[in-house]
Amino acid sequence: MISQFGVFTSYQANVDANGNNILGDAANEPSISVDPTNLNKMVIGWRQFDSIQSDFREAGWGYTTDGGIHWTFPGVLENNVFRSDPVSHCDETGKFFYLSLESNQAQSFFCDDVWNSINGGQSWMQGGPGHGGDKEWFTIDKTNGMGHGFQYQFWTGFFACDTGEFTRSTDGGLTWMTPISIPNSARTGTLDVDTNGNLFVGGSVGGGFSCLRSSNAQIGNQTPTFDRITTVSLGGSLIQGGINGIGLCGQTFLVVDRSGSATNNNVYMLASVLPSGRSTTDVMFARSTDSGLTFSAPHRINDDPNFQNKWHWFGTLSVAPNARIDVVWYDTRNATNNIDSQLFYSWSTDGGLSWAPNVAVSNPFNPQAGFPNNQKIGDYITIVSDNTGANVAYAATFNVNPNAVGGHEQDVYYVRVSPSGGSTPTPTPTPTATATPTATATATATATSTATATATATATPTATATATATPTATATATATPTLTPRPTPTPRFQPTPRPRATPPPRP
């Protein structure tokens, strides 16, 4: 399936060896990562259901070498292993990583591991046990500081492999420290690192949100502590259900600006929240210019004038090397049934003070179609930015399947967005040094802001990208190796795990 909407083209990623849709499967909850040394190389991980008649899911993935025009779907990380909540990243050398939640004991508790690929996502090597839990997320320190290459992970403590909600790997995801608890038990969020090596965690807490900072997580021989805990208002709270069946309407996203510009080390948080007194969600944004000490009042990104009864959900964001902020989300503003959704896009070039008018990016689709006995279309979508635009992975139900719920099936798509409109070709940048940490990178427990303009003067923005390796939009047919059909998986039954406290209900 190639879905054209105006100047935007969405390409299906979960395809067979000939690039065609696989009838009868389902794919959702995609996480995209991009090779910074060759922006034409990308990986998307997703929840793979080999049959829409089953809730059994595995860790699917696809890769591209031509800027997202053609995708190869080799299979799953492990056949017949129940996996979920995929998160993919790529380090500054082009090495891809895939964090995957696994449940191998009658699907009753959750552990994870991080896989890595040194050939652009064509094949993967498994790392050691990563502890983990439900809604796990991770990030990689790509700065030149003492924590370079460290991986940080946190998850929801209610549904965890063992105690704690946070862990760290100092060897690229091969081994992980014993988990520790984090303040306020923040959950359903993401992490990022500033140019000084400070780690930031953004997550939901009760009916609100928190931003946590650790200055010493970058010191390998110290147990991480969180020296800054800030309550953040996003104008509402996360919700489960609504337009997305039993799923979330979005999770918390936190990103840090490492551009080396005037907005360097700004911390941005975004979520699709339910405001007080409302029954539908808005995409809300807040920013910190003082290393997470304080945050701005929340700002609504969706600009439709009659937004009160419309859904704006699955909001997510990223920051480009040149400091532009990109945001995408699902939106029902054009749907008379208030269900059919479109992917929408907006951006900011002034650190989130003002935003471009919203742009529809995709054809409308019914997100409640194609449920593979798991009544949601996942819990999130993802985006990765570069200097000219951004790469988006999202799930949609463009493909017709008479046997599926609603006559359509869930599949994963890639689309390129940019402020210039349409699928601006992805350039391959000239390699540049990672932003250099300043002398203030040493661990402290003070509340002094390190996000000063003078402290980031050495950061080198990657604005030297050239368009000499621009892929053409002519989708010429290329031979793809024939893949061996994957067997239909069946759940594995193993002994009941150790007794645990009864957690709150979970889908």
Side-chain angles (χ1 to χ4, degrees):
M1 166 63 70
I2 297 177
S3 179
Q4 191 74 38
F5 180 80
V7 295
F8 299 97
T9 307
S10 295
Y11 299 93
Q12 186 179 345
N14 60 315
V15 292
D16 65 15
N18 296 315
N20 299 318
N21 177 53
I22 302 169
L23 194 66
D25 77 340
N28 59 36
E29 210 163 88
S31 176
I32 191 169
S33 52
V34 183
D35 181 349
T37 71
N38 183 347
L39 301 184
N40 292 312
K41 294 182 177 181
M42 292 176 271
V43 166
I44 301 176
W46 62 75
R47 302 195 312 166
Q48 171 65 26
F49 300 79
D50 283 346
S51 170
I52 57 176
Q53 305 302 322
S54 173
D55 186 36
F56 191 84
R57 72 206 74 153
E58 299 163 287
W61 92 92
Y63 68 89
T64 181
T65 60
D66 61 4
I69 296 175
H70 300 93
W71 290 86
T72 299
F73 171 25
V76 297
L77 294 182
E78 290 185 295
N79 283 318
N80 300 323
V81 175
F82 185 99
R83 287 182 174 271
S84 192
D85 296 8
V87 186
S88 66
H89 272 298
C90 189
D91 68 15
E92 75 281 0
T93 70
K95 186 176 184 179
F96 286 94
F97 295 88
Y98 191 136
L99 172 64
S100 178
L101 187 67
E102 176 187 0
S103 180
N104 59 6
Q105 300 232 356
Q107 301 174 25
S108 57
F109 70 89
F110 303 88
C111 302
D112 64 34
D113 48 24
V114 173
W115 299 60
N116 68 82
S117 173
I118 58 174
N119 58 6
Q122 297 180 52
S123 61
W124 298 86
M125 295 180 60
Q126 186 175 19
H131 305 287
D134 190 31
K135 298 295 175 289
E136 89 295 0
W137 209 271
F138 83 122
T139 195
I140 304 171
D141 185 336
K142 302 175 186 178
T143 71
N144 284 332
M146 64 184 80
H148 176 263
F150 286 10
Q151 296 185 10
Y152 306 108
Q153 179 192 167
F154 91 116
W155 55 85
T156 298
F158 284 127
F159 301 95
C161 184
D162 42 27
T163 58
E165 301 114 3
F166 175 87
T167 185
R168 174 187 65 194
S169 173
T170 61
D171 58 8
L174 298 179
T175 61
W176 295 82
M177 63 174 264
T178 300
I180 61 173
S181 297
I182 61 176
N184 298 335
S185 298
R187 57 191 180 273
T188 58
T190 63
L191 320 83
D192 206 355
V193 179
D194 72 10
T195 60
N196 294 320
N198 296 313
L199 171 68
F200 292 85
V201 178
S204 63
V205 177
F209 300 88
S210 281
C211 174
L212 316 175
R213 188 188 75 172
S214 175
S215 300
N216 75 331
Q218 61 187 305
I219 304 175
N221 61 2
Q222 293 187 14
T223 299
T225 57
F226 293 89
D227 60 341
R228 183 164 291 169
I229 305 167
T230 304
T231 298
V232 181
S233 172
L234 288 175
S237 58
L238 297 183
I239 64 167
Q240 181 177 319
I243 193 172
N244 195 29
I246 62 172
L248 297 175
C249 285
Q251 65 175 46
T252 315
F253 285 90
L254 178 149
V255 295
V256 177
D257 182 322
R258 293 186 296 274
S259 64
S261 68
T263 56
N264 191 69
N265 284 343
N266 278 5
V267 181
Y268 305 125
M269 290 183 64
L270 178 139
S272 294
V273 304
L274 180 70
S276 177
R278 289 268 304 281
S279 59
T280 55
T281 50
D282 286 328
V283 179
M284 302 296 289
F285 167 90
R287 71 176 201 152
S288 173
T289 60
D290 54 12
S291 195
L293 179 63
T294 61
F295 277 80
S296 67
H299 177 87
R300 180 168 55 89
I301 303 297
N302 50 283
D303 62 5
D304 45 331
N306 300 312
F307 60 89
Q308 290 85 354
N309 296 317
K310 294 297 184 178
W311 289 97
H312 316 91
W313 56 296
F314 271 17
T316 185
L317 83 165
S318 63
V319 183
N322 61 6
R324 188 191 67 256
I325 311 170
D326 295 307
V327 176
V328 291
W329 67 95
Y330 290 165
D331 199 302
T332 67
R333 71 180 67 180
N334 296 323
T336 56
N337 63 4
N338 208 23
I339 294 174
D340 291 344
S341 299
Q342 292 174 277
L343 188 70
F344 266 70
Y345 170 53
S346 184
W347 67 92
S348 172
T349 57
D350 58 8
L353 293 176
S354 61
W355 292 85
N358 298 175
V359 177
V361 172
S362 78
N363 286 297
F365 61 92
N366 181 357
Q368 298 177 355
F371 288 152
N373 280 1
N374 182 248
Q375 296 183 6
K376 60 181 180 179
I377 196 166
D379 287 312
Y380 51 82
I381 58 176
T382 50
I383 181 173
V384 175
S385 301
D386 54 55
N387 283 337
T388 61
N391 306 288
V392 182
Y394 71 105
T397 59
F398 300 134
N399 280 310
V400 174
N401 183 344
N403 296 320
V405 174
H408 291 258
E409 62 183 33
Q410 297 180 5
D411 296 296
V412 167
Y413 292 88
Y414 164 83
V415 65
R416 173 81 177 173
V417 297
S418 71
S420 61
S423 52
T424 302
T426 305
T428 299
T430 302
T432 57
T434 308
T436 304
T438 70
T440 58
T442 55
T444 64
T446 66
T448 303
S449 168
T450 59
T452 61
T454 56
T456 57
T458 56
T460 305
T462 56
T464 56
T466 64
T468 55
T470 302
T472 61
T474 55
T476 54
T478 55
T480 307
T482 301
L483 300 178
T484 303
R486 289 174 285 122
T488 300
T490 55
R492 299 181 301 164
F493 297 94
Q494 297 186 13
T496 303
R498 64 191 184 283
R500 297 174 55 84
T502 302
R506 177 189 181 274

